[in-house]
Amino acid sequence: MRNKNTEINELLVKLNEESLQDYKIVDFWEADTTAIGIQIGNNLIYISTFNYDRTNKYNIIIEKYDTGEIIEEEKESAYNELIEIINEIKE
């Protein structure tokens, strides 16, 4: 995505290489170059790379897509943990 930082774009490339299905990339934070969302059904995973250069982890929040109700508070996750979360939500 043109308006996103390198870490977000690299994440999107890596996700595209996974055999994940039934997810949609959403961008409600156009002005935030460090954030992107993944919609899975009625769930939204907010992903930020704000501290990625220091921690090598993404900050994620899981919420209900329609209401914004927080399902899981913000936490740091490595890439493989993010994939596990995506797969768990799909089940």
Side-chain angles (χ1 to χ4, degrees), residues 9-82:
N9 284 306
E10 289 174 355
L11 171 63
L12 293 175
V13 168
K14 287 169 71 172
L15 287 173
N16 193 43
E17 294 171 353
E18 297 285 340
S19 57
L20 301 172
Q21 298 175 10
D22 303 325
Y23 76 95
K24 178 180 169 185
I25 302 298
V26 293
D27 186 11
F28 299 120
W29 314 276
E30 210 170 288
D32 185 349
T33 61
T34 67
I36 198 74
I38 297 176
Q39 179 188 358
I40 303 168
N42 192 36
N43 296 300
L44 176 70
I45 303 171
Y46 165 86
I47 304 168
S48 172
T49 60
F50 183 72
N51 290 317
Y52 189 83
D53 59 335
R54 288 183 284 168
T55 65
N56 220 25
K57 293 188 176 185
Y58 304 101
N59 291 47
I60 65 168
I61 300 170
I62 303 172
E63 56 188 55
K64 292 285 184 187
Y65 182 81
D66 294 336
T67 65
E69 175 189 345
I70 302 294
I71 297 170
E72 284 192 38
E73 297 289 331
E74 184 173 356
K75 64 181 180 179
E76 287 187 340
S77 296
Y79 178 76
N80 61 335
E81 295 169 321
L82 175 60

